Amino acid sequence: AVSAGNTGALMAMSMFCLKTMFNVNRPAIAGIWPTLRGESIVLDIGANIGLLALVAAQCVGAQGRVIAVEPLARNRVLLARAAQANGFDHVELVAAAASDRAGELELRTHPTTSNSATPAASGPRLRADGGETLRVPIVVLDDALDGMSGLRRLDVVKIDVGGMEPLALRGLERHIAQHRPLIVSEFHPQAMRAASGVEAIDYLRWLRGLYPAITVLHRDGRRERFTDERGVMDAWRTANAAAGLDGALHLDIALTRD
């Protein structure tokens, strides 16, 4: 299988939910959310072309719902076509970026990738010649979900939005507090500072106000659970030092109600 932008999140969720087989450190691809059935609702923030959203749609079945938030029109077209081809009428698209206040956002993108980021958080590929800067609408997810009929629960939130995670989840704070979903978030301190103006330690402290612990999902399949946000920061620094990437390596983190 090939992922255009969400492989890290997919691997993180797979290893968190399914764990790895004996002597397998990092699977090539894996199923996710296998126990979600019935009326389960998945919110995919930064859905890209829909790899995770479509797998979630298969897992939750027709009685569930998958809400895919994606600001790039070309990605939404591919996602919608794939959902239609698979008969996934329970996939709903939100054509916007997510933050803590409504308005507009500038995103940098490039025809060689399905990814996007704010100009300040963009890497060399997004800044390269041939790319473009787009203005996209911003939605506050608490308000967007309030406007959806029949939304009585929220089971899983996956978020990977190029450093906008702190602001996007603040815009979802009321539903997080009410439903306590499983959250899997990309954790990239450098991107957060550039895109959101938020320090990583402050993001972790905010999350710890909602959940009892934070689990780091390492790329080799290990999971470390921390009740102190400084432990997460130390794990990120250690991983970057081992990879020789000086802060450029992101981790994935998971939060559960217990």
Side-chain angles (χ1 to χ4, degrees):
V2 177
S3 164
N6 282 317
T7 305
L10 179 61
M11 292 300 98
M13 182 66 83
S14 300
M15 289 186 288
F16 184 77
C17 291
L18 300 178
K19 304 181 177 61
T20 55
M21 297 174 62
F22 178 70
N23 279 339
V24 174
N25 291 326
R26 190 181 185 195
I29 200 81
I32 59 173
W33 307 314
T35 61
L36 292 186
R37 290 293 184 269
E39 298 181 0
S40 296
I41 295 177
V42 176
L43 177 62
D44 186 353
I45 310 170
N48 206 281
I49 63 172
L51 175 65
L52 281 152
L54 295 169
V55 175
Q58 176 67 39
C59 290
V60 303
Q63 292 183 337
R65 295 171 71 176
V66 176
I67 303 165
V69 183
E70 173 54 42
L72 294 189
R74 68 173 185 266
N75 288 348
R76 294 195 305 272
V77 168
L78 294 174
L79 200 165
R81 287 176 180 172
Q84 182 179 34
N86 285 279
F88 293 154
D89 296 332
H90 52 294
V91 175
E92 306 169 38
L93 292 176
V94 177
S99 189
D100 59 347
R101 62 185 65 186
E104 287 189 326
L105 179 70
E106 283 194 348
L107 290 178
R108 185 73 183 169
T109 187
H110 196 278
T112 61
T113 178
S114 59
N115 293 338
S116 63
T118 64
S122 294
R125 175 183 280 190
L126 294 179
R127 296 196 305 266
D129 292 342
E132 61 178 331
T133 301
L134 306 174
R135 293 191 68 84
V136 300
I138 297 172
V139 67
V140 178
L141 288 171
D142 271 335
D143 297 338
L145 297 188
D146 284 345
M148 296 181 180
S149 62
L151 193 71
R152 298 183 296 273
R153 58 188 295 168
L154 183 60
D155 298 281
V156 176
V157 174
K158 164 262 169 182
I159 181 166
D160 181 353
V161 287
M164 289 288 291
E165 291 84 7
L167 301 184
L169 289 186
R170 284 188 183 277
L172 186 65
E173 184 171 9
R174 181 159 39 82
H175 281 79
I176 293 173
Q178 179 181 353
H179 300 293
R180 300 292 188 195
L182 163 65
I183 296 177
V184 174
S185 170
E186 183 177 87
F187 181 71
H188 195 324
Q190 291 183 347
M192 286 180 192
R193 184 181 302 116
S196 300
V198 174
E199 293 298 322
I201 192 70
D202 294 328
Y203 177 54
L204 295 173
R205 286 172 180 151
W206 180 79
L207 290 172
R208 279 281 293 112
L210 295 165
Y211 288 86
I214 300 171
T215 299
V216 173
L217 308 173
H218 288 282
R219 292 169 180 253
D220 61 4
R222 291 178 299 114
R223 297 186 297 162
E224 284 188 286
R225 180 180 170 91
F226 298 98
T227 57
D228 178 2
E229 52 272 4
R230 295 192 179 278
V232 180
M233 294 300 301
D234 288 342
W236 172 72
R237 294 187 187 99
T238 299
N240 272 272
L245 290 177
D246 192 28
L249 181 72
H250 79 268
L251 294 178
D252 293 294
I253 58 175
L255 301 104
T256 61
R257 66 182 68 185
D258 51 20

